[in-house]
Amino acid sequence: MSPDQSVAARTIGHPLRTTIVRLAGGVGIGAILFFLLMPTLLIVPMSLNGTAYIELPPRGLTLQWYFDYLADPDWRAATIFSLKIALSTAVAATATGTLASLAIVRGSLPGRDALKALAMAPMIVPHVVFGVALYLVFSPVGLTGNFSGFLIAHCVLSIPYVVITVSAALERFDPALERAALSCGASRTRAFFSVVLPNIAPAVAVAAVFAFLASFDEATVAFFISDTGGKTISRKMFEDIDFNLTPVIAAVSTVMVAISLLLMGSVELLKGRREE
């Protein structure tokens, strides 16, 4: 083979090898993602099972378990209680975390690094340890099993997600825009609401969704601070898994997955309109 032919063969072979490597990598990543998502996807046919117990593949299809879920007063109470806590947590944690992010990114506090470490601490401490600590603190003052106790606990758990998301947006935001507003006579508060907040609004919306989901899906801490009077949907699910395992559990899980997908889809839609 002449030198020119050898160079031509290598030139043709290089794109082919690159294509094969990319294809193999894509197939491998797709297989991993499918393996991770498969348990969640299998919940859907389980929730439509025609028998009174969970099995796969399902024997017949029915929506009876969704109707049973909606008709059960205990399930309704747990769902409404969780939604109230999650919505309140999303508002409170987003506001608190956004202010903390401003202090961390834009502030000149001497303890800024310590504040950031403190805000991230709930992501590092195991939830079991956090739950035990909350029970020991909340029980003597009557904060177990009620709205206030759950709101405080879930805000602490959700604030790290808000701080991470909003801080990243503030790092990308050009501070010259805020300084321009200040030089035109705007106060710090007006500059924030008129210039900074509109530019980081998608990140704040994403942070609110993360806070909502962190609260709505939380189960470990709920075991320690729940009681018969205040029970979240995750606590109710685990109780029924132990004592009353039926396809209603799969129906509730499907509803929770649908809520998560709906919220994330809304965020993506909001981001797409913001970029237009």
Side-chain angles (χ1 to χ4, degrees), residues 147-234:
F147 177 84
S148 300
F150 273 101
L151 179 60
I152 295 171
H154 286 188
C155 279
V156 173
L157 293 172
S158 302
I159 283 176
Y161 299 99
V162 179
V163 171
I164 291 174
T165 306
V166 178
S167 295
L170 287 172
E171 292 285 357
R172 295 192 301 268
F173 176 70
D174 187 0
L177 298 176
E178 184 180 8
R179 290 195 296 268
L182 295 174
S183 65
C184 292
S187 62
R188 286 280 182 182
T189 303
R190 184 171 182 180
F192 172 76
F193 284 103
S194 299
V195 179
V196 179
L197 186 59
N199 283 275
I200 65 170
V204 174
V206 172
V209 170
F210 286 160
F212 179 93
L213 294 177
S215 172
F216 192 67
D217 296 339
E218 203 287 319
T220 306
V221 174
F223 272 98
F224 294 93
I225 62 175
S226 294
D227 63 11
T228 56
K231 187 182 301 182
T232 62
I233 189 172
S234 56

Side-chain angles (χ1 to χ4, degrees), residues 80-182:
I80 293 172
F81 187 62
S82 292
L83 287 173
K84 288 181 178 179
I85 295 170
L87 288 171
S88 301
T89 299
V91 174
T94 302
T96 306
T98 300
L99 293 176
S101 300
L102 284 171
I104 292 171
V105 176
R106 297 293 181 81
S108 56
L109 300 175
R112 184 172 60 176
D113 293 337
L115 177 62
K116 184 175 182 179
L118 181 64
M120 297 295 106
M123 298 187 69
I124 301 172
V125 177
H127 283 198
V128 173
V129 177
F130 185 64
V132 173
L134 285 179
Y135 174 76
L136 296 176
V137 174
F138 284 3
S139 183
V141 295
L143 286 176
T144 55
N146 57 45
F147 177 84
S148 300
F150 273 101
L151 179 60
I152 295 171
H154 286 188
C155 279
V156 173
L157 293 172
S158 302
I159 283 176
Y161 299 99
V162 179
V163 171
I164 291 174
T165 306
V166 178
S167 295
L170 287 172
E171 292 285 357
R172 295 192 301 268
F173 176 70
D174 187 0
L177 298 176
E178 184 180 8
R179 290 195 296 268
L182 295 174

